[in-house]
Amino acid sequence: MFKKIFLVILLIFISLTVSAQNITEMEFRNQPVTDILLVLAEVSRQSIIPDDTVEGNATYLFHNMPFEEALARFLENQDLYFVKKNDVYYISRIHIDYDPALENLSLQTEGTDIQKIIKKISQTIGTTILYDALPREEITLQFENGTVESLLNIIIRRYSDYSIETGEDYYYIRRNTSGRNTVNQYGGNYFTLEDNLFSADLKKVRFRDVLADLMIKGGYEYSMLGQNDSIIERFSFKDKTFTEILDLLLEQANSGYEISNGIYYFFDKDRQDILNKFVSTVRIPLIKNSADGIVSLIPDYIMGEAVIKKDALANNVIISGPMASLVPLESYIIGLENDLPGYSWNRFDLNFLVSGEIASFLPDTYSSHTSINLEEGNAFLMYMSKEKADALREFLRLVDVPVKVTPVYLDYISAEDLMDNIPPSIDEERVSLSSDENLVFFRGNAVQLEHFKDTISAMDRPTPQIRYDVLVLQVQDTNQLDWESSLSNEILSDDSQTAVTGTLGSILSLNFDIVSQFGYLFAAQLNTALDQSEARVMADTTLYALSGETIEFKNTGTSRYYEAEYNSDGELQDYGTINEISSGLTIEIEGWVSGDGMITMTVNSTISKENTVDSTSTYALPSTTEKIVSTSVRTPSGKPIIITGLKQQDTGFSVSKVPFLGDIPLLGLLFQKRQEIIEDTDFYITIVPHLEYTGREAGKNRYEDIFRRLVSDYDS
């Protein structure tokens, strides 16, 4: 995971310093070579493909050079090569050139596994190369202008029991088994066995031959699952059990084994896995030094291959690694724990501060000293000189004082709301909840308390309340109403209040203040339309809600219908279910008050209608139609908004007939006239939002208020 995070951060940083074809500066420290190549490919937008010979870590600095030159220098430093084909850079530890016409090739490589070299040769020449199990060794080759067979002979020259067999379309590296036995160069067996103990003194022997002799003498069956057949330079041990001598042999050959049903299965093993068996871990408790401080005192040359971790809670350090590195490191740390001249343990008692939190109060000069909290009383110990102890006591005398706790009452918000949204400038540790949801306790001095009160005053305010005056009109003839009409300038006498009341009788009975919002002329037009049934009030209400809350108004009717059920034969049952259909007017308003007093509203309006049933069936359910308008608007307090677009078309019939004759059954149809009537209806939704304040003046006489506005010009 750390490796992936490193690559992401590195790519983001390098993208600021790398152009498409030029690298200005990049630095890598002990990073895998494949990851470095991946970064180069990403930042240069080039395709780079490494093969399985590219491995290991590298530390390298790229500085101010074109991409291809930077790549070439880095690869040269790592004994790697590249070949560019079709704008793709192929990276390998093996550089090979082959001329099919002359049937010769050249090959250069440093420290590469034999099997990988043979695989690369086969891919380049396009010819199959077969081989028996080969030693797992890394070799260096510098071969110029020779045949493939000559190169293969050089590769296996060290191994006398291998030969090259050449065919028309293949090469075969064969291991010769004739004449092989378990006799070493000294003329004896590889192992001697006495009292079930094994001994051996061998030089330059093949691992598989030695293993075979050991398993035969031990009397065990085995199977080789790995490819390892390395040369063991020196193997000399005496009087070892079978398990001991087998482990020693496998350690040198980088191999491991598992036992199943009495059979040993041998497999190749990474050398690091072998070394891990020799890694030890030591925990060192510290008394006179802190875990944080002692790590910074250890020089790099003492660390070696060891790794150190700190356990600050227990004040321990944990060191791990090979014993050769652990011994000097452990001795160095123990030496740091020895008594220092003039140093001793000093006890410090606290009155108000908590000993467990004392580290957060101490100056940096005491951070390297170890402190031990005492269970008895509020006290702690610290290892230091007498001079430093006296200075610390003087410091504690100044800071170990009682802190005043002040109750702070909240007027509008709850204590939990305050704690959930506490400002960054307030230390949350200084504020505590109480059993009263409107009370908190603040711990601090007078300046801190004043800052706390000033800060929360911006939060401890009442949530604004919005009053919505809502008027919904259903109008058949919209041409009769002029929404742009304003107040008339007609001069009225002081005794005209009765006339105004009579003229606007239907309007004055409404809760909605038509005159204030749309003027006297429009109010008169609407009053006439209401009196003549050309307009109808569907809603006239006042709604209240807090800022940010949603309110809903419904003026609907519900019809219930019996829905019949049928059996499998299609026959009507005697029972069924009751369905409900609701239709009418629904208004949903969500309002929010901004800092400048403007009101933003989202209004969803729905007009639904239940249609008549066309079918003659008693059980047929009627259909419904809906008209929906959604809008968002921002308006000052007291300014109306009008929502239109909700239209309905109703169809009806009118019948006129000749008196008496039109009532005769059947024959009366000749004396009747039927006419289809289609009525278009518009719905107007008017909403006036008001930002409510406390102490609002109420209870004015509405008639007097309207009359006063009408005659204001005359009075002036």
Side-chain angles (χ1 to χ4, degrees):
M1 176 60 70
F2 174 78
K3 176 180 174 183
K4 294 180 178 178
I5 295 174
F6 165 79
L7 284 176
V8 171
I9 297 175
L10 187 61
L11 286 173
I12 293 173
F13 172 75
I14 293 176
S15 64
L16 302 176
T17 61
V18 180
S19 63
Q21 294 296 331
N22 193 70
I23 300 175
T24 56
E25 184 173 345
M26 289 194 300
E27 184 177 3
F28 300 88
R29 294 184 180 274
N30 196 31
Q31 295 301 315
V33 175
T34 52
D35 289 350
I36 297 176
L37 294 174
L38 172 62
V39 173
L40 285 175
E42 289 286 346
V43 299
S44 62
R45 296 187 178 93
Q46 301 288 342
S47 296
I48 299 178
I49 302 178
D51 65 10
D52 58 352
T53 65
V54 180
E55 54 190 13
N57 291 5
T59 297
Y60 196 81
L61 172 65
F62 294 91
H63 183 68
N64 194 25
M65 64 186 69
F67 162 74
E68 192 162 303
E69 180 183 351
L71 177 64
R73 290 189 181 184
F74 172 70
L75 297 180
E76 181 181 1
N77 179 264
Q78 301 299 317
D79 294 324
L80 297 172
Y81 306 89
F82 77 86
V83 176
K84 185 177 181 182
K85 296 180 181 179
N86 299 324
D87 294 329
V88 178
Y89 292 84
Y90 295 91
I91 312 299
S92 177
R93 194 169 295 278
I94 304 170
H95 178 67
I96 185 168
D97 291 320
Y98 177 63
D99 187 345
L102 300 177
E103 294 186 353
N104 67 354
L105 54 75
S106 299
L107 186 145
Q108 295 84 34
T109 187
E110 296 281 344
T112 307
D113 184 271
I114 293 175
Q115 297 185 36
K116 293 181 179 179
I117 296 174
I118 295 174
K119 177 183 175 182
K120 188 73 172 181
I121 296 172
S122 176
Q123 292 174 345
T124 303
I125 67 176
T127 302
T128 301
I129 301 179
L130 305 173
Y131 54 87
D132 293 334
L134 291 168
R136 298 295 298 272
E137 291 193 44
E138 296 179 351
I139 63 174
T140 298
L141 287 173
Q142 296 293 331
F143 183 80
E144 297 288 341
N145 298 324
T147 64
V148 176
E149 186 175 354
S150 299
L151 177 57
L152 295 178
N153 275 309
I154 291 175
I155 293 175
I156 66 169
R157 183 66 58 89
R158 292 183 58 193
Y159 315 109
S160 58
D161 52 347
Y162 285 89
S163 62
I164 304 298
E165 179 181 315
T166 305
E168 262 186 52
D169 54 358
Y170 71 92
Y171 294 92
Y172 182 20
I173 303 177
R174 182 187 298 275
R175 185 177 185 187
N176 302 317
T177 57
S178 59
R180 291 183 60 205
N181 51 45
T182 59
V183 179
N184 67 9
Q185 58 182 322
Y186 304 109
N189 294 329
Y190 287 114
F191 293 95
T192 59
L193 183 61
E194 185 176 351
D195 295 332
N196 291 326
L197 297 178
F198 292 81
S199 300
D201 186 14
L202 310 173
K203 293 181 180 179
K204 292 189 179 299
V205 290
R206 191 177 301 281
F207 163 65
R208 289 189 178 225
D209 294 342
V210 178
L211 180 63
D213 184 51
L214 178 61
M215 299 305 292
I216 291 173
K217 286 185 170 59
Y220 295 102
E221 295 179 300
Y222 73 97
S223 175
M224 289 296 299
L225 303 180
Q227 300 293 324
N228 189 7
D229 193 14
S230 58
I231 300 298
I232 299 177
E233 297 292 333
R234 180 69 174 164
F235 190 80
S236 180
F237 297 95
K238 186 177 180 180
D239 296 335
K240 304 295 182 182
T241 65
F242 173 79
T243 301
E244 291 173 339
I245 201 73
L246 177 60
D247 289 341
L248 292 170
L249 177 62
L250 296 179
E251 285 172 3
Q252 292 204 21
N254 296 340
S255 296
Y257 70 92
E258 294 287 344
I259 304 175
S260 178
N261 298 325
I263 300 176
Y264 284 74
Y265 294 89
F266 295 97
F267 51 86
D268 297 340
K269 196 173 184 182
D270 189 270
R271 183 164 182 79
Q272 186 61 42
D273 296 333
I274 304 293
L275 296 177
N276 286 341
K277 296 197 303 183
F278 300 99
V279 172
S280 300
T281 301
V282 177
R283 177 183 286 270
I284 305 175
L286 302 176
I287 301 297
K288 300 170 183 176
N289 295 276
S290 68
D292 291 325
I294 205 166
V295 171
S296 62
L297 299 176
I298 301 175
D300 293 339
Y301 71 88
I302 293 292
M303 291 294 298
E305 297 182 21
V307 177
I308 186 168
K309 300 290 185 181
K310 58 186 178 181
D311 182 357
L313 185 62
N315 200 39
N316 293 170
V317 291
I318 304 167
I319 58 176
S320 60
M323 288 302 300
S325 297
L326 292 190
V327 172
L329 178 59
E330 184 177 9
S331 299
Y332 184 85
I333 294 174
I334 293 175
L336 294 176
E337 283 285 282
N338 292 335
D339 288 335
L340 298 174
Y343 274 61
S344 62
W345 286 101
N346 295 267
R347 175 184 175 119
F348 300 90
D349 292 283
L350 301 173
N351 296 317
F352 302 101
L353 296 178
V354 180
S355 60
E357 302 174 355
I358 190 62
S360 61
F361 294 95
L362 295 181
D364 293 340
T365 184
Y366 298 100
S367 60
S368 61
H369 295 269
T370 300
S371 62
I372 300 176
N373 297 322
L374 300 179
E375 294 182 0
E376 69 280 6
N378 193 20
F380 66 96
L381 298 176
M382 188 167 282
Y383 186 75
M384 58 178 54
S385 65
K386 182 179 182 303
E387 291 76 11
K388 270 202 167 183
D390 292 341
L392 179 57
R393 286 192 173 89
E394 179 62 21
F395 173 78
L396 293 177
R397 186 183 67 81
L398 297 176
V399 300
D400 187 23
V401 295
V403 179
K404 183 178 181 181
V405 177
T406 306
V408 179
Y409 288 91
L410 304 173
D411 294 327
Y412 302 102
I413 61 175
S414 66
E416 290 187 357
D417 289 340
L418 173 63
M419 297 303 294
D420 291 340
N421 303 279
I422 194 164
S425 61
I426 301 298
D427 184 3
E428 188 175 354
E429 299 296 328
R430 294 185 176 276
V431 185
S432 303
L433 295 173
S434 68
S435 58
D436 187 342
E437 63 178 11
N438 294 115
L439 173 66
V440 295
F441 293 101
F442 181 80
R443 181 168 57 90
N445 56 38
V447 176
Q448 294 169 334
L449 175 62
E450 190 65 26
H451 171 68
F452 174 71
K453 290 182 176 180
D454 289 344
T455 303
I456 67 171
S457 62
M459 300 173 56
D460 190 22
R461 294 182 178 181
T463 302
Q465 179 174 275
I466 306 174
R467 184 184 90 244
Y468 301 96
D469 292 336
V470 181
L471 177 67
V472 181
L473 297 176
Q474 179 182 357
V475 182
Q476 274 71 37
D477 185 3
T478 60
N479 294 327
Q480 294 188 11
L481 298 180
D482 182 7
W483 294 89
E484 300 298 328
S485 298
S486 59
L487 286 173
S488 171
N489 290 325
E490 180 182 0
I491 299 177
L492 302 176
S493 60
D494 291 340
D495 58 354
S496 298
Q497 181 173 346
T498 304
V500 171
T501 304
T503 304
L504 304 180
S506 299
I507 295 300
L508 295 178
S509 64
L510 297 177
N511 178 70
F512 194 94
D513 192 350
I514 295 293
V515 176
S516 297
Q517 298 298 334
F518 301 109
Y520 175 72
L521 293 181
F522 176 80
Q525 294 174 10
L526 179 59
N527 188 82
T528 302
L530 292 174
D531 291 341
Q532 297 179 2
S533 299
E534 294 172 350
R536 183 165 67 93
V537 177
M538 293 191 65
D540 176 31
T541 185
T542 299
L543 306 174
Y544 292 88
L546 296 179
S547 176
E549 292 186 350
T550 301
I551 57 172
E552 186 179 50
F553 171 80
K554 286 186 176 182
N555 184 4
T556 59
T558 302
S559 300
R560 294 174 176 82
Y561 295 89
Y562 177 80
E563 183 178 2
E565 295 184 357
Y566 298 85
N567 58 22
S568 58
D569 297 330
E571 298 176 349
L572 182 65
Q573 300 288 338
D574 294 334
Y575 54 86
T577 59
I578 301 298
N579 285 336
E580 294 183 350
I581 297 178
S582 297
S583 59
L585 171 67
T586 301
I587 300 175
E588 184 181 89
I589 307 173
E590 180 181 2
W592 176 76
V593 180
S594 58
D596 57 358
M598 298 291 285
I599 300 175
T600 302
M601 294 182 293
T602 299
V603 183
N604 298 314
S605 308
T606 303
I607 295 289
S608 59
K609 177 185 177 184
E610 179 183 328
N611 299 324
T612 57
V613 181
D614 296 332
S615 173
T616 57
S617 172
T618 307
Y619 304 104
L621 295 178
S623 60
T624 59
T625 57
E626 288 185 341
K627 300 293 190 300
I628 301 175
V629 173
S630 298
T631 185
S632 295
V633 66
R634 191 166 183 257
T635 181
S637 174
K639 185 175 181 179
I641 65 166
I642 302 174
I643 300 174
T644 62
L646 295 170
K647 297 179 180 294
Q648 281 188 355
Q649 189 176 77
D650 297 320
T651 302
F653 292 91
S654 65
V655 179
S656 59
K657 57 185 178 179
V658 178
F660 180 73
L661 295 178
D663 295 327
I664 300 175
L666 297 179
L667 183 61
L669 296 175
L670 299 176
F671 300 96
Q672 294 180 0
K673 181 180 180 181
R674 294 177 175 269
Q675 184 179 3
E676 183 179 14
I677 300 175
I678 299 178
E679 292 184 348
D680 291 325
T681 304
D682 289 345
F683 293 88
Y684 293 88
I685 301 175
T686 305
I687 302 174
V688 184
H690 298 273
L691 180 57
E692 291 283 295
Y693 298 96
T694 57
R696 178 184 175 91
E697 185 181 356
K700 288 186 178 181
N701 186 297
R702 187 176 179 193
Y703 295 146
E704 292 181 357
D705 183 57
I706 294 174
F707 181 77
R708 186 176 298 108
R709 289 199 299 270
L710 290 174
V711 301
S712 60
D713 289 341
Y714 174 75
D715 292 340
S716 60

